[in-house]
Coordinates of all heavy atoms in Angstrom, one line a residue:
P25 N -35.4 1.9 -57.8 CA -35.5 2.9 -56.8 C -36.6 3.9 -57.1 O -37.0 4.1 -58.2 CB -34.1 3.6 -56.9 CG -33.6 3.3 -58.2 CD -34.2 2.0 -58.6
L26 N -37.2 4.5 -56.0 CA -38.2 5.4 -56.2 C -37.7 6.7 -56.7 O -36.5 7.1 -56.5 CB -38.9 5.7 -54.8 CG -39.6 4.5 -54.2 CD1 -40.1 4.8 -52.8 CD2 -40.8 4.1 -55.0
P27 N -38.5 7.5 -57.4 CA -38.0 8.8 -58.0 C -37.6 9.8 -56.9 O -36.8 10.7 -57.2 CB -39.2 9.3 -58.8 CG -40.4 8.6 -58.3 CD -39.9 7.3 -57.8
F28 N -38.1 9.6 -55.7 CA -37.7 10.6 -54.6 C -36.3 10.3 -54.1 O -35.6 11.1 -53.5 CB -38.6 10.5 -53.4 CG -40.0 11.0 -53.7 CD1 -41.1 10.3 -53.4 CD2 -40.2 12.2 -54.3 CE1 -42.4 10.8 -53.6 CE2 -41.4 12.8 -54.5 CZ -42.5 12.0 -54.2
H29 N -35.8 9.0 -54.4 CA -34.5 8.7 -53.9 C -33.4 8.9 -55.0 O -32.8 7.9 -55.4 CB -34.5 7.2 -53.4 CG -35.4 7.0 -52.3 ND1 -35.1 7.4 -51.0 CD2 -36.6 6.4 -52.3 CE1 -36.2 7.1 -50.2 NE2 -37.1 6.5 -51.0
A30 N -33.2 10.1 -55.3 CA -32.2 10.5 -56.3 C -31.6 11.8 -55.8 O -32.2 12.5 -55.0 CB -32.8 10.7 -57.7
H31 N -30.4 12.1 -56.3 CA -29.8 13.4 -55.9 C -30.4 14.5 -56.6 O -30.6 14.5 -57.8 CB -28.3 13.4 -56.1 CG -27.6 14.6 -55.7 ND1 -27.4 14.9 -54.3 CD2 -27.2 15.7 -56.3 CE1 -26.9 16.0 -54.2 NE2 -26.7 16.6 -55.4
F32 N -30.8 15.6 -55.8 CA -31.4 16.8 -56.4 C -30.5 17.9 -56.2 O -29.8 18.0 -55.1 CB -32.7 17.0 -55.8 CG -33.8 16.0 -56.2 CD1 -33.9 14.9 -55.5 CD2 -34.6 16.3 -57.3 CE1 -34.9 13.9 -55.9 CE2 -35.6 15.4 -57.7 CZ -35.7 14.2 -56.9
D33 N -30.4 18.8 -57.1 CA -29.6 20.0 -56.9 C -30.1 20.9 -55.8 O -31.3 21.4 -55.9 CB -29.6 20.8 -58.3 CG -28.7 22.0 -58.3 OD1 -28.3 22.5 -57.2 OD2 -28.5 22.6 -59.4
E34 N -29.4 21.1 -54.7 CA -29.9 21.8 -53.6 C -30.3 23.2 -53.9 O -31.2 23.8 -53.3 CB -28.8 21.8 -52.5 CG -28.7 20.5 -51.8 CD -27.7 20.6 -50.6 OE1 -27.8 21.5 -49.8 OE2 -26.8 19.7 -50.5
S35 N -29.6 23.8 -54.8 CA -29.9 25.2 -55.2 C -31.2 25.4 -55.8 O -31.8 26.5 -55.8 CB -28.8 25.8 -56.1 OG -28.8 25.2 -57.4
K36 N -31.8 24.3 -56.4 CA -33.1 24.4 -57.0 C -34.3 24.0 -56.1 O -35.4 24.2 -56.5 CB -33.1 23.5 -58.3 CG -32.1 24.0 -59.3 CD -32.2 23.1 -60.5 CE -31.2 23.7 -61.6 NZ -31.1 22.9 -62.8
L37 N -34.0 23.5 -54.9 CA -35.0 23.0 -54.0 C -35.9 24.1 -53.6 O -37.2 24.0 -53.6 CB -34.5 22.2 -52.9 CG -33.8 20.9 -53.2 CD1 -33.3 20.2 -51.9 CD2 -34.8 20.0 -53.9
P38 N -35.4 25.3 -53.2 CA -36.3 26.4 -52.7 C -37.3 26.8 -53.8 O -38.5 27.0 -53.5 CB -35.4 27.5 -52.3 CG -34.1 26.9 -52.0 CD -34.0 25.7 -52.9
S39 N -36.9 26.9 -55.0 CA -37.9 27.3 -56.1 C -38.9 26.2 -56.3 O -40.1 26.5 -56.5 CB -37.2 27.7 -57.4 OG -36.5 26.6 -57.9
L40 N -38.5 24.9 -56.2 CA -39.5 23.8 -56.3 C -40.5 23.9 -55.2 O -41.7 23.7 -55.4 CB -38.7 22.5 -56.3 CG -39.6 21.2 -56.1 CD1 -40.5 21.1 -57.3 CD2 -38.8 20.0 -55.9
F41 N -40.0 24.1 -54.0 CA -40.8 24.2 -52.8 C -41.8 25.3 -52.9 O -43.0 25.2 -52.6 CB -40.0 24.2 -51.5 CG -39.2 23.0 -51.3 CD1 -38.1 23.1 -50.4 CD2 -39.4 21.8 -51.9 CE1 -37.4 21.9 -50.1 CE2 -38.6 20.7 -51.7 CZ -37.6 20.7 -50.8
R42 N -41.3 26.5 -53.4 CA -42.2 27.6 -53.5 C -43.3 27.3 -54.5 O -44.5 27.7 -54.3 CB -41.4 28.9 -54.0 CG -40.7 29.5 -52.9 CD -40.0 30.8 -53.4 NE -39.3 31.5 -52.3 CZ -38.1 31.2 -51.9 NH1 -37.4 30.3 -52.6 NH2 -37.5 31.9 -50.9
R43 N -42.9 26.6 -55.6 CA -43.9 26.3 -56.6 C -45.0 25.3 -56.0 O -46.2 25.5 -56.3 CB -43.2 25.6 -57.8 CG -44.1 25.0 -58.8 CD -44.9 26.1 -59.6 NE -45.9 25.5 -60.4 CZ -45.8 25.2 -61.7 NH1 -44.6 25.3 -62.3 NH2 -46.8 24.6 -62.3
L44 N -44.6 24.3 -55.3 CA -45.5 23.4 -54.6 C -46.5 24.2 -53.7 O -47.7 24.0 -53.7 CB -44.8 22.4 -53.8 CG -44.0 21.3 -54.6 CD1 -43.2 20.5 -53.7 CD2 -45.0 20.4 -55.4
L45 N -45.9 25.1 -52.9 CA -46.7 25.9 -52.0 C -47.7 26.7 -52.7 O -48.9 26.8 -52.3 CB -45.8 26.8 -51.1 CG -45.0 26.0 -50.1 CD1 -44.0 27.0 -49.4 CD2 -45.8 25.2 -49.1
T46 N -47.3 27.4 -53.8 CA -48.3 28.3 -54.5 C -49.3 27.4 -55.2 O -50.5 27.8 -55.3 CB -47.6 29.2 -55.5 OG1 -46.8 28.5 -56.4 CG2 -46.7 30.2 -54.7
D47 N -48.9 26.2 -55.6 CA -49.9 25.3 -56.3 C -51.0 24.9 -55.4 O -52.1 24.6 -55.8 CB -49.2 24.1 -56.9 CG -48.4 24.4 -58.2 OD1 -48.6 25.5 -58.7 OD2 -47.7 23.5 -58.7
I48 N -50.7 24.8 -54.1 CA -51.8 24.3 -53.1 C -52.5 25.5 -52.5 O -53.3 25.4 -51.6 CB -51.2 23.4 -52.0 CG1 -50.2 24.1 -51.1 CG2 -50.7 22.1 -52.6 CD1 -49.9 23.3 -49.9
G49 N -52.1 26.7 -52.9 CA -52.8 27.9 -52.5 C -52.2 28.7 -51.3 O -52.8 29.6 -50.8
F50 N -51.0 28.3 -50.9 CA -50.3 29.0 -49.9 C -49.8 30.3 -50.4 O -49.1 30.4 -51.4 CB -49.1 28.2 -49.4 CG -48.5 28.6 -48.1 CD1 -49.0 28.2 -46.9 CD2 -47.5 29.5 -48.0 CE1 -48.5 28.6 -45.7 CE2 -46.9 29.9 -46.9 CZ -47.4 29.5 -45.7
N51 N -50.1 31.4 -49.7 CA -49.8 32.8 -50.1 C -48.4 33.2 -49.5 O -48.3 33.5 -48.3 CB -50.8 33.8 -49.7 CG -50.6 35.2 -50.3 OD1 -49.5 35.5 -50.8 ND2 -51.6 36.0 -50.2
L52 N -47.4 33.2 -50.3 CA -46.0 33.5 -49.9 C -45.8 35.0 -49.6 O -44.8 35.4 -49.1 CB -45.0 33.0 -50.8 CG -44.9 31.4 -50.9 CD1 -44.1 31.0 -52.1 CD2 -44.3 30.9 -49.6
N53 N -46.8 35.8 -50.0 CA -46.7 37.2 -49.7 C -47.2 37.6 -48.3 O -47.2 38.7 -47.9 CB -47.6 38.0 -50.7 CG -47.0 37.9 -52.1 OD1 -45.7 37.9 -52.3 ND2 -47.8 37.7 -53.1
E54 N -47.7 36.6 -47.6 CA -48.3 36.8 -46.2 C -47.5 36.1 -45.2 O -48.0 35.5 -44.3 CB -49.7 36.4 -46.2 CG -50.6 37.3 -47.0 CD -52.1 37.1 -46.8 OE1 -52.4 36.2 -46.1 OE2 -52.9 37.8 -47.5
G55 N -46.2 36.1 -45.3 CA -45.3 35.5 -44.3 C -43.9 35.2 -44.8 O -43.5 35.8 -45.8
R56 N -43.3 34.3 -44.2 CA -41.9 33.9 -44.5 C -41.8 32.4 -44.8 O -42.6 31.7 -44.4 CB -41.0 34.3 -43.4 CG -40.8 35.7 -43.1 CD -39.8 36.0 -42.0 NE -38.5 35.3 -42.3 CZ -37.5 35.9 -42.9 NH1 -37.6 37.1 -43.4 NH2 -36.4 35.3 -43.1
F57 N -40.8 32.1 -45.6 CA -40.5 30.8 -46.0 C -39.0 30.6 -45.8 O -38.2 31.2 -46.6 CB -40.9 30.6 -47.4 CG -40.5 29.3 -48.1 CD1 -41.1 28.1 -47.7 CD2 -39.7 29.3 -49.2 CE1 -40.7 26.9 -48.3 CE2 -39.3 28.2 -49.8 CZ -39.8 27.0 -49.4
D58 N -38.5 29.8 -44.8 CA -37.1 29.7 -44.5 C -36.6 28.3 -44.3 O -37.4 27.4 -44.0 CB -36.8 30.5 -43.2 CG -37.1 32.0 -43.4 OD1 -36.5 32.6 -44.3 OD2 -37.9 32.5 -42.6
L59 N -35.3 28.1 -44.4 CA -34.7 26.8 -44.2 C -34.4 26.6 -42.7 O -34.1 27.6 -42.0 CB -33.4 26.8 -44.9 CG -32.5 25.5 -44.7 CD1 -33.3 24.3 -45.3 CD2 -31.2 25.7 -45.4
T60 N -34.7 25.4 -42.1 CA -34.4 25.1 -40.7 C -34.0 23.7 -40.6 O -34.1 22.9 -41.6 CB -35.7 25.4 -39.9 OG1 -35.4 25.3 -38.5 CG2 -36.8 24.5 -40.2
L61 N -33.6 23.3 -39.4 CA -33.3 21.9 -39.2 C -34.6 21.0 -38.9 O -34.6 19.8 -39.2 CB -32.4 21.7 -38.0 CG -31.0 22.3 -38.2 CD1 -30.2 22.2 -36.9 CD2 -30.3 21.6 -39.3
H62 N -35.6 21.6 -38.3 CA -36.9 20.9 -38.1 C -38.0 21.8 -38.6 O -38.2 22.9 -38.2 CB -37.0 20.7 -36.6 CG -38.3 19.9 -36.3 ND1 -38.3 18.5 -36.4 CD2 -39.5 20.3 -35.8 CE1 -39.5 18.1 -36.1 NE2 -40.2 19.1 -35.7
P63 N -38.8 21.2 -39.6 CA -39.9 22.0 -40.2 C -41.0 22.4 -39.2 O -41.3 21.6 -38.2 CB -40.5 21.0 -41.2 CG -39.5 19.9 -41.4 CD -38.7 19.9 -40.1
F64 N -41.5 23.6 -39.4 CA -42.6 24.0 -38.5 C -43.4 25.1 -39.2 O -42.9 25.7 -40.2 CB -42.2 24.5 -37.1 CG -41.4 25.8 -37.2 CD1 -42.1 27.0 -37.0 CD2 -40.0 25.8 -37.3 CE1 -41.4 28.2 -37.0 CE2 -39.4 27.0 -37.3 CZ -40.0 28.2 -37.2
C65 N -44.5 25.4 -38.7 CA -45.3 26.5 -39.2 C -45.9 27.2 -38.0 O -46.4 26.6 -37.1 CB -46.5 26.0 -40.1 SG -47.4 27.3 -40.9
S66 N -45.9 28.6 -38.0 CA -46.4 29.4 -36.9 C -47.0 30.6 -37.5 O -46.5 31.2 -38.5 CB -45.2 29.7 -36.0 OG -45.6 30.6 -35.0
S67 N -48.1 31.0 -36.9 CA -48.7 32.3 -37.3 C -48.4 33.4 -36.2 O -48.7 33.2 -35.0 CB -50.2 32.1 -37.3 OG -50.8 33.3 -37.7
I68 N -47.7 34.4 -36.7 CA -47.4 35.5 -35.8 C -48.6 36.4 -35.6 O -48.8 37.0 -34.6 CB -46.2 36.3 -36.4 CG1 -45.0 35.4 -36.7 CG2 -45.8 37.5 -35.5 CD1 -44.5 34.7 -35.5
G69 N -49.4 36.5 -36.6 CA -50.6 37.3 -36.6 C -51.3 37.2 -37.9 O -50.9 36.4 -38.8
L70 N -52.5 37.8 -38.1 CA -53.2 37.7 -39.3 C -52.4 38.1 -40.5 O -51.8 39.2 -40.5 CB -54.5 38.6 -39.2 CG -55.5 38.4 -40.3 CD1 -56.0 36.9 -40.4 CD2 -56.7 39.3 -40.1
G71 N -52.3 37.3 -41.5 CA -51.5 37.6 -42.7 C -50.0 37.5 -42.5 O -49.2 38.0 -43.3
D72 N -49.5 36.8 -41.4 CA -48.1 36.7 -41.2 C -47.8 35.2 -40.7 O -47.8 35.0 -39.5 CB -47.6 37.7 -40.1 CG -46.1 37.7 -40.0 OD1 -45.4 36.9 -40.7 OD2 -45.6 38.5 -39.2
V73 N -47.6 34.3 -41.6 CA -47.3 32.9 -41.3 C -45.9 32.6 -41.6 O -45.3 33.0 -42.6 CB -48.2 32.0 -42.2 CG1 -47.9 30.6 -42.0 CG2 -49.7 32.3 -42.0
R74 N -45.2 32.0 -40.6 CA -43.8 31.6 -40.8 C -43.8 30.1 -41.1 O -44.2 29.3 -40.3 CB -43.0 31.9 -39.5 CG -43.2 33.3 -39.0 CD -42.7 34.3 -40.0 NE -43.1 35.7 -39.7 CZ -42.3 36.6 -39.2 NH1 -41.0 36.3 -38.9 NH2 -42.7 37.8 -39.0
L75 N -43.3 29.8 -42.2 CA -43.2 28.4 -42.6 C -41.7 28.0 -42.8 O -41.0 28.7 -43.6 CB -43.9 28.2 -44.0 CG -43.8 26.8 -44.6 CD1 -44.5 25.7 -43.7 CD2 -44.5 26.8 -45.9
C76 N -41.2 27.0 -42.1 CA -39.8 26.6 -42.2 C -39.7 25.2 -42.7 O -40.5 24.3 -42.4 CB -39.1 26.7 -40.9 SG -38.9 28.5 -40.4
Y77 N -38.8 25.0 -43.6 CA -38.6 23.7 -44.2 C -37.2 23.2 -44.0 O -36.3 23.9 -43.6 CB -38.9 23.8 -45.7 CG -37.9 24.6 -46.5 CD1 -36.8 23.9 -47.1 CD2 -37.9 25.9 -46.5 CE1 -35.9 24.6 -47.8 CE2 -37.0 26.7 -47.2 CZ -35.9 26.0 -47.9 OH -35.0 26.7 -48.6
R78 N -37.0 21.9 -44.2 CA -35.6 21.3 -44.2 C -35.4 20.8 -45.6 O -36.3 20.6 -46.4 CB -35.5 20.2 -43.2 CG -36.3 19.0 -43.6 CD -36.1 17.9 -42.6 NE -37.0 16.8 -42.8 CZ -37.4 16.0 -41.8 NH1 -36.8 16.0 -40.6 NH2 -38.2 15.0 -42.1
K79 N -34.1 20.5 -45.9 CA -33.8 20.0 -47.2 C -33.0 18.7 -47.0 O -32.3 18.5 -46.0 CB -32.9 21.0 -48.0 CG -31.6 21.4 -47.4 CD -30.9 22.4 -48.2 CE -29.6 22.8 -47.5 NZ -28.9 23.8 -48.3
D80 N -33.2 17.8 -47.9 CA -32.5 16.5 -47.9 C -32.4 16.1 -49.4 O -33.3 15.5 -49.9 CB -33.3 15.4 -47.1 CG -32.5 14.1 -47.0 OD1 -31.5 13.9 -47.8 OD2 -32.8 13.3 -46.1
P81 N -31.3 16.6 -50.0 CA -31.2 16.4 -51.5 C -31.1 14.9 -51.9 O -31.3 14.5 -53.0 CB -29.9 17.1 -51.8 CG -29.2 17.4 -50.6 CD -30.2 17.4 -49.5
A82 N -30.8 14.0 -50.9 CA -30.7 12.6 -51.2 C -32.0 11.9 -51.2 O -32.2 10.9 -51.8 CB -29.7 11.9 -50.2
D83 N -33.0 12.5 -50.5 CA -34.3 11.9 -50.4 C -35.3 13.1 -50.3 O -35.6 13.5 -49.2 CB -34.5 11.0 -49.2 CG -35.8 10.3 -49.1 OD1 -36.7 10.6 -49.9 OD2 -36.0 9.5 -48.2
I84 N -35.8 13.5 -51.4 CA -36.6 14.8 -51.4 C -37.9 14.6 -50.7 O -38.5 15.6 -50.3 CB -36.7 15.2 -52.9 CG1 -37.2 16.7 -52.9 CG2 -37.7 14.3 -53.7 CD1 -37.1 17.3 -54.3
S85 N -38.4 13.3 -50.6 CA -39.7 13.1 -49.9 C -39.5 13.5 -48.4 O -40.5 14.0 -47.8 CB -40.1 11.7 -50.0 OG -39.3 10.8 -49.3
R86 N -38.3 13.5 -47.8 CA -38.1 13.9 -46.4 C -38.2 15.4 -46.3 O -38.2 15.9 -45.2 CB -36.8 13.3 -45.9 CG -36.8 11.8 -45.8 CD -35.5 11.3 -45.3 NE -34.8 12.0 -44.2 CZ -34.9 11.7 -42.9 NH1 -35.7 10.7 -42.6 NH2 -34.3 12.5 -42.0
A87 N -38.2 16.1 -47.4 CA -38.4 17.5 -47.4 C -39.8 17.9 -47.8 O -40.4 18.8 -47.2 CB -37.3 18.2 -48.3
I88 N -40.3 17.3 -48.9 CA -41.6 17.7 -49.5 C -42.7 17.3 -48.5 O -43.6 18.2 -48.3 CB -41.8 17.0 -50.8 CG1 -40.8 17.7 -51.9 CG2 -43.2 17.2 -51.3 CD1 -40.9 17.0 -53.2
L89 N -42.7 16.1 -48.0 CA -43.9 15.7 -47.2 C -44.0 16.6 -45.9 O -45.2 17.1 -45.7 CB -43.8 14.2 -46.9 CG -43.8 13.3 -48.1 CD1 -43.7 11.9 -47.7 CD2 -45.1 13.5 -48.9
P90 N -43.0 16.9 -45.2 CA -43.2 17.8 -44.0 C -43.5 19.2 -44.5 O -44.3 19.9 -43.8 CB -41.8 17.8 -43.3 CG -41.2 16.5 -43.8 CD -41.7 16.2 -45.1
L91 N -43.0 19.6 -45.6 CA -43.3 21.0 -46.1 C -44.8 21.1 -46.4 O -45.4 22.1 -45.9 CB -42.5 21.2 -47.4 CG -42.9 22.5 -48.1 CD1 -42.3 23.7 -47.5 CD2 -42.5 22.4 -49.6
L92 N -45.4 20.1 -47.0 CA -46.8 20.2 -47.3 C -47.6 20.0 -46.1 O -48.7 20.6 -45.9 CB -47.2 19.1 -48.4 CG -46.5 19.3 -49.7 CD1 -46.8 18.1 -50.6 CD2 -47.0 20.6 -50.4
H93 N -47.2 19.2 -45.1 CA -47.9 19.1 -43.9 C -47.9 20.4 -43.1 O -49.0 20.8 -42.7 CB -47.1 18.0 -43.0 CG -47.7 18.0 -41.6 ND1 -48.7 17.2 -41.2 CD2 -47.3 18.6 -40.5 CE1 -49.0 17.4 -39.9 NE2 -48.1 18.2 -39.4
E94 N -46.8 21.1 -43.0 CA -46.7 22.4 -42.3 C -47.5 23.4 -43.1 O -48.1 24.3 -42.5 CB -45.3 22.8 -42.1 CG -44.5 21.9 -41.2 CD -45.1 21.7 -39.8 OE1 -45.8 22.6 -39.3 OE2 -44.9 20.6 -39.2
A95 N -47.5 23.4 -44.4 CA -48.2 24.3 -45.2 C -49.7 24.2 -44.9 O -50.5 25.2 -44.9 CB -47.9 24.2 -46.7
G96 N -50.2 22.9 -44.7 CA -51.6 22.7 -44.3 C -51.9 23.5 -43.1 O -53.0 24.1 -43.0
H97 N -51.1 23.5 -42.1 CA -51.3 24.3 -40.9 C -51.4 25.8 -41.3 O -52.3 26.5 -40.8 CB -50.2 24.2 -39.9 CG -50.1 22.8 -39.3 ND1 -51.1 22.2 -38.5 CD2 -49.1 21.9 -39.3 CE1 -50.7 21.0 -38.1 NE2 -49.5 20.8 -38.6
G98 N -50.5 26.2 -42.1 CA -50.6 27.6 -42.5 C -51.8 28.0 -43.3 O -52.3 29.1 -43.2
L99 N -52.3 27.1 -44.1 CA -53.5 27.4 -44.9 C -54.8 27.4 -44.0 O -55.7 28.2 -44.2 CB -53.8 26.3 -45.9 CG -52.8 26.3 -47.1 CD1 -53.0 25.0 -47.9 CD2 -53.1 27.5 -48.0
Y100 N -54.7 26.7 -42.9 CA -55.8 26.7 -42.0 C -55.9 28.0 -41.2 O -56.9 28.6 -41.1 CB -55.7 25.5 -41.0 CG -56.8 25.4 -40.0 CD1 -58.1 25.0 -40.4 CD2 -56.6 25.8 -38.7 CE1 -59.1 24.9 -39.5 CE2 -57.7 25.7 -37.8 CZ -58.9 25.3 -38.2 OH -59.9 25.2 -37.3

């Protein structure tokens, strides 16, 4: 099995996701980062980006890949 297909502690996912976002240069001080059913990224105004993620503790790739995709919009 792939390493993404293992059970992950749901309580630790937000801190992992924050770490990934900061590692790619996403500034979490200029917006929000919240849980949702469908990931998206929206800019309310300059310096105010709303990034929403989903969680899937059984297959973390279904959370990480959309998170990074949406973060790319936010970085742009």
Side-chain angles (χ1 to χ4, degrees):
L26 296 173
F28 290 132
H29 298 285
H31 181 75
F32 291 87
D33 183 347
E34 285 187 48
S35 67
K36 295 181 180 178
L37 293 179
S39 63
L40 170 64
F41 296 164
R42 282 186 178 86
R43 172 67 190 269
L44 290 171
L45 292 172
T46 57
D47 283 353
I48 65 167
F50 193 89
N51 186 347
L52 291 169
N53 294 319
E54 293 187 358
R56 294 184 52 92
F57 171 68
D58 296 301
L59 179 64
T60 189
L61 294 176
H62 184 78
F64 72 90
C65 186
S66 176
S67 178
I68 304 302
L70 189 60
D72 190 359
V73 175
R74 309 298 167 106
L75 176 62
C76 290
Y77 69 97
R78 68 176 168 203
K79 60 182 176 179
D80 187 341
D83 183 355
I84 198 167
S85 68
R86 291 178 44 96
I88 291 176
L89 299 176
L91 172 77
L92 295 175
H93 171 87
E94 297 303 332
H97 293 298
L99 288 170
Y100 180 73

